Amino acid sequence: MPSSPIANDGLPAVSETSGASPNETPTLIERLGITPCAQSIDYLEHKQQFQLHALLTEQRHPRTTGLSQCIGSDTTAGLRDLLSVDQDIIATFDAVAANPEQLARLQAASLAVQQALRDGHRIYFYGTGSTGRLAETLESGLWRPFWRRLALQYPALWQALEARFPGIEARVRGEITGGDRALISSLEGFEDLPLIGRLQLQDHAISAQDVVFAVTEGGETSAVIGTALAAAAQEGATAGHTWFVYNNPDHVLRPFDRSRQVLDDARIGKIELATGPQSITGSTRMQATTTSLYALGVVLEDALQQLLTPVLSAEQMQALGFHPGTTIASGLRRFGQLQKIAASAAPQLAPWTNLETITYRNACHATYLAQRALMPVFVDVTERGPTFRLAPLDRCDTAQRTSWIQVWAPVETPQQAWDALLQRPFHGLDATRYSGPFQQQIDDPYLRASALHSLKSAGAEQQVLYDLSASATQLQQAGPRPGDLGVLVLLGHESLSPIALRWLQQVRAANAAQVVFSVSDQPLDASLRAAAPTATFVDVQVPQRDPFGLNQAIVLKMLLNAHSTGVMAKLGRVVGNTMTSVQPGNLKLYGRATHLIQSLVNEALASTAWRKAHGTSTPLSYADANAVMFEAIEQRHALPEAAQTPEVELTIVAVLQALASGQPVAWPHAAATLQQKDLATCLAPYAD
C-alpha cells in the first residue's frame, strides 16, 4: 500500500475519512485494518488478572509529568525532578516507623532472621526482575562483601565468629526468577508462573527452618507468590518463616485473586511498603525497589547487630560499623538524610548525563568498570534493557556489537569476573529438574511454550557466554575507541587496582571520554584525580554509619537510576514521564504496554490540534490497543525497517497515521516515520 505524504509532525496531513459503504459503520479496529490475533483474544478474555494499570505503582507521578521536555532543555532540572520523587520514600518510612503494627512486623522479621542464623539456618530472598536483582544485591552486594572485608581486616575476629556461627557468610541467599542468567536479561514466561517460584525454592533446598522473603514491587507477581505460598505450606513452618514484601496498598491488590490469596494467608507475614507512583510510570526499578532494598537491608543489619552484640565487645561492634542505640525505626528515618544527599548531587550528575547521551547519539559505546560497586552498577545497566528497549549485554560469540554498553570488573578472566559479581558460584536452572514440571503442570499453551523456550537459556552453561572482565581479549575486541565513554565507579573509600588504573589510562589514550563516579565517606584522592586529568568527576560524600555500607549503596543506586533514566529521556525513549520503549515480554508488561498505547493515543485524539485538523475521533479502547500491539510485535519480526522500533512507539504512530488518513494501518510508513523522528516529536503538535 502506498504511504501518505508525511506532514511536519510525522502524520499524514489529510482529514479523517471512512472507507466503509454508506450503509455500514465500521468499528475502529476494522477501520485500522486489524484482525485481533488469537493471543490478543486470549489475553483479553482470560488474562484480566494481569491487566494491572489500576495499581498505584503504575500511575503517572504528577511531579514528573513534563520530564522529557524539562530534561531536554535543562538536564540538571530534569535530574532534580527525578530525584525529588524519592521524597515519597521518606514519607513511607516515617509512616512505618510511627506505626506500631507495621514496625512490629519488621521487628518480627529481624527476630526470625536472628534465630535462623543462630541455629545455622538460611535466609532466602526471592524476586522477579528488579526485585530479583534486589535479592541478589542483598546477598552478593551487601552480605557476602561484609564478611569478606571482615576476614581481611580482622582475621582473628573472623575466625572466632566463623567458629561460633559456621558457614555464616553463605547463610543468606538471593535468587532471581530464572536463576543467575536472568540477571543479564529477562527470560520470558517465567515471571507468570507460580510453579517456578516453588521449583526454585526446592532447587535451593529451602526448609521450614529457613526464613523466606518473597519480594514483589507490584504485589502481584506470580512467581514470587508461588514462592511465598510454597514456603508457607512446608511441613513444620512456623510464624515468621515466610514474609511477603510489596509496594502497593492492600486494598489496591485485593481485586487480584493471586494477591488476595497471599494477603489472606495467616501463615505469611506481610510487609507493605507502599510508595505510590514511580518517577517514570511503572518503572518499579526506581522508588519501589529502592524502598524494599533499603528496608530489607535495615532488617538484615538489625538482625546481625542483635546476633553479634552478646558475643562481641562494644569496641569490636563499632569497628564493624554497628552503633549502640541503632534500631529499625532509626534506620528507616535515616533515609531522609540519604535522599537529601542524593538530590543535592544533581548538578554534579548532569555533565555525565549529557556526556553519555552524546556518546549514544554518535553511535559510540560506554563501558562501566567497577570494583566494590560491581553489583549495583551491573543491576542498573541490565535493567535499562527491558525498561527502554535496549539490546542486552553482548555475548562473547557476538559478531557485531548490539549493546550500547558493557560492564567490566578489573580482573583478568571471565570466571574471576563472575566471582567478583556474585561472590559465589554461578547458579543456573537444570533443565532435567524443570522441564518435566513445565510440560506437565502448565496448562496455558502460551506460557508453557514460552517457559520451555526460556529454559534453554537458563542453565549453568550460560556463564561462559558472557565475559565481564577487563581481560586482554576484551580490550582487543571491545576496548575503548575514539568517541566512546569509560565510567569508573567507586563505592566506599577503595583504592584503585592495577588493572583499573591501566584501564583508565587506556581510555584516555584512545581519545575516549572519562567519568569517575565515587560515593564514599571521603573526597576522592588527589592521586586518582591526577591519574585521570581529563575526566568528569562526580564525587558524592555519604557518611559511613552502617556495617554493610547500605547508606552508600542506596545513594549510589538512586543516582545511577536517575542518571540512566535521564540519558534515556534525553534520547527520546521517554515521553513525558512514560517509558514508551518498554519491552512487552510478560503478561504484566503486555498490559502496561497496552495501557500506554491507549493513553497516549487518546490524549492526542482529545487535543485541540487533532480535533481542529481531523474532527472528533472515537477513542481507542483497551481491546483495540491490545490487538494493534500484538500485531506490532509480529511486525517487528517481519519487517526489517521495524526491527529496531519499540512496539509501543510503532503502535502509537501507526494508529494515529491510520486515523488521520482514514486508511488501514501501514506499518512500513510508521516505521519510516520513527526512523526520521522520535515519538515525542511526533506527538508534540498534540500536546495541549
Side-chain angles (χ1 to χ4, degrees):
M1 176 185 300
S3 298
S4 303
I6 298 176
N8 291 334
D9 57 2
L11 302 175
V14 293
S15 297
E16 181 179 353
T17 62
S18 172
S21 66
N23 296 325
E24 296 177 351
T25 303
T27 65
L28 189 145
I29 199 68
E30 289 171 340
R31 290 162 54 202
L32 294 175
I34 300 294
T35 300
C37 68
Q39 192 170 3
S40 176
I41 294 171
D42 175 74
Y43 186 80
L44 294 168
E45 293 182 354
H46 305 297
K47 306 294 194 304
Q48 295 95 335
Q49 289 281 309
F50 294 90
Q51 297 166 27
L52 305 171
H53 43 272
L55 294 182
L56 202 57
T57 49
E58 296 290 321
Q59 306 307 302
R60 295 190 192 180
H61 201 292
R63 205 173 294 153
T64 55
T65 52
L67 174 68
S68 59
Q69 299 91 334
C70 174
I71 203 166
S73 59
D74 187 335
T75 304
T76 299
L79 292 171
R80 281 187 174 128
D81 283 350
L82 282 169
L83 290 163
S84 72
V85 180
D86 292 322
Q87 293 173 7
D88 294 353
I89 305 174
I90 301 174
T92 296
F93 284 150
D94 285 349
V96 171
N99 185 309
E101 182 179 352
Q102 288 183 295
L103 187 59
R105 291 177 184 176
L106 292 177
Q107 292 167 336
S110 172
L111 180 60
V113 171
Q114 295 169 45
Q115 293 174 336
L117 293 173
R118 184 179 295 111
D119 296 338
H121 302 304
R122 290 183 292 167
I123 317 302
Y124 182 66
F125 294 97
Y126 183 86
T128 295
S130 61
T131 56
R133 294 180 178 92
L134 173 157
E136 300 230 15
T137 297
L138 285 165
E139 177 196 8
S140 304
L142 297 177
W143 179 264
R144 287 181 179 269
F146 165 78
W147 294 105
R148 296 194 178 185
R149 290 194 299 271
L150 188 155
L152 285 173
Q153 296 173 5
Y154 308 103
L157 180 57
W158 160 244
Q159 291 173 8
L161 289 174
E162 169 66 16
R164 188 177 185 99
F165 306 108
I168 192 166
E169 179 188 337
R171 295 293 176 195
V172 168
R173 184 68 171 86
E175 178 79 340
I176 185 173
T177 301
D180 288 336
R181 163 58 182 79
L183 285 169
I184 297 282
S185 60
S186 299
L187 295 168
E188 295 183 8
F190 286 168
E191 175 174 337
D192 302 316
L193 300 173
L195 172 63
I196 197 172
R198 173 167 61 82
L199 292 175
Q200 288 188 260
L201 189 81
Q202 296 169 352
D203 194 353
H204 287 286
I206 300 300
S207 73
Q209 286 71 47
D210 299 323
V211 176
V212 174
F213 290 90
V215 191
T216 160
E217 67 280 306
E220 39 59 49
T221 309
S222 299
V224 177
I225 287 173
T227 299
L229 294 174
Q234 289 179 309
E235 184 176 353
T238 59
H241 164 67
T242 307
W243 296 90
F244 189 63
V245 185
Y246 51 104
N247 302 102
N248 273 297
D250 288 7
H251 71 273
V252 173
L253 292 174
R254 286 201 165 276
F256 302 98
D257 295 341
R258 60 192 181 281
S259 300
R260 190 167 61 252
Q261 188 177 4
V262 176
L263 296 177
D264 290 343
D265 194 324
R267 302 170 300 179
I268 300 174
K270 289 80 176 179
I271 300 177
E272 178 198 311
L273 298 168
T275 54
Q278 309 298 286
S279 55
I280 295 293
T281 308
S283 183
T284 49
R285 80 185 188 114
M286 305 286 280
Q287 286 71 37
T289 307
T290 297
T291 304
S292 295
L293 175 61
Y294 187 76
L296 291 173
V298 167
V299 167
L300 201 55
E301 286 188 339
D302 181 76
L304 190 58
Q305 179 164 353
Q306 303 307 319
L307 182 72
L308 297 183
T309 295
V311 300
L312 298 181
S313 68
E315 291 77 13
Q316 289 172 321
M317 290 292 289
Q318 189 164 359
L320 296 182
F322 295 102
H323 299 277
T326 301
T327 64
I328 290 177
S330 67
L332 296 179
R333 292 191 176 101
R334 185 178 63 204
F335 181 83
Q337 301 171 2
L338 305 179
Q339 190 276 331
K340 290 178 182 177
I341 292 172
S344 67
Q348 281 199 76
L349 212 59
W352 172 22
T353 302
N354 291 332
L355 193 56
E356 191 160 334
T357 302
I358 293 169
T359 300
Y360 300 141
R361 278 184 180 153
N362 292 337
C364 295
H365 298 83
T367 299
Y368 282 60
L369 186 131
Q371 301 176 141
R372 278 184 60 183
L374 185 59
M375 179 57 82
V377 168
F378 185 85
V379 165
D380 181 82
V381 167
T382 54
E383 286 180 345
R384 300 181 196 188
T387 304
F388 300 109
R389 203 63 168 86
L390 304 181
L393 298 179
D394 289 322
R395 292 176 16 162
C396 299
D397 56 359
T398 300
Q400 184 175 359
R401 292 176 68 177
T402 58
S403 177
W404 294 1
I405 191 169
Q406 53 196 3
V407 183
W408 288 357
V411 294
E412 298 284 7
T413 70
Q415 186 58 57
Q416 289 174 336
W418 279 112
D419 292 343
L421 178 69
L422 298 174
Q423 309 274 305
R424 56 162 172 77
F426 185 99
H427 176 255
L429 304 190
D430 184 349
T432 60
R433 176 188 292 271
Y434 290 84
S435 60
F438 283 2
Q439 291 170 337
Q440 299 161 15
Q441 299 178 42
I442 303 176
D443 296 329
D444 186 290
Y446 297 108
L447 292 181
R448 182 171 59 250
S450 183
L452 288 170
H453 176 75
S454 289
L455 187 59
K456 298 175 183 177
S457 301
E461 75 284 349
Q462 291 290 312
Q463 66 176 314
V464 302
L465 299 177
Y466 297 91
D467 187 353
L468 310 176
S469 71
S471 64
T473 301
Q474 283 279 77
L475 286 167
Q476 181 179 2
Q477 295 178 348
R481 303 287 189 271
D484 283 352
L485 172 65
V487 182
L488 173 66
V489 184
L490 302 172
L491 179 60
H493 194 65
E494 55 179 335
S495 58
L496 223 55
S497 71
I499 296 176
L501 183 59
R502 182 184 67 197
W503 175 79
L504 262 184
Q505 295 167 343
Q506 290 166 330
V507 172
R508 185 185 178 197
N511 197 28
Q514 290 178 309
V515 170
V516 177
F517 173 37
S518 170
V519 176
S520 175
D521 60 338
Q522 301 178 40
L524 278 167
D525 289 341
S527 59
L528 198 152
R529 289 182 177 271
T534 61
T536 296
F537 290 92
V538 183
D539 189 5
V540 181
Q541 275 84 62
V542 180
Q544 179 64 34
R545 295 175 182 165
D546 63 288
F548 293 162
L550 177 63
N551 291 357
Q552 294 175 1
I554 211 71
V555 170
L556 180 76
K557 177 190 183 299
M558 289 189 285
L559 293 176
L560 282 171
N561 288 168
H563 161 72
S564 57
T565 300
V567 170
M568 293 300 115
K570 290 180 73 67
L571 289 171
R573 301 219 166 198
V574 174
V575 175
N577 63 357
T578 61
M579 47 179 175
T580 51
S581 296
V582 64
Q583 180 177 344
N586 56 51
L587 296 178
K588 177 179 181 176
L589 293 182
Y590 288 153
R592 179 181 293 167
T594 300
H595 185 58
L596 280 171
I597 292 164
Q598 181 190 23
S599 299
L600 291 174
V601 166
N602 287 341
E603 286 175 11
L605 299 182
S607 69
T608 302
W610 179 276
R611 293 198 304 271
K612 183 177 180 180
H614 309 297
T616 301
S617 299
T618 303
L620 188 70
S621 70
Y622 187 89
D624 290 347
N626 186 262
V628 188
M629 180 201 69
F630 273 107
E631 177 68 18
I633 292 173
E634 292 301 315
Q635 292 297 326
R636 285 191 75 258
H637 298 297
L639 292 175
E641 59 265 50
Q644 301 303 316
T645 306
E647 295 88 344
V648 171
E649 298 186 0
L650 184 64
T651 304
I652 291 169
V653 171
V655 168
L656 291 176
Q657 286 179 339
L659 292 178
S661 68
Q663 300 295 320
V665 164
W667 295 107
H669 184 193
T673 298
L674 285 167
Q675 288 175 351
Q676 297 174 24
K677 55 191 71 180
D678 59 34
L679 179 63
T681 302
C682 292
L683 293 177
Y686 305 110
D688 282 347

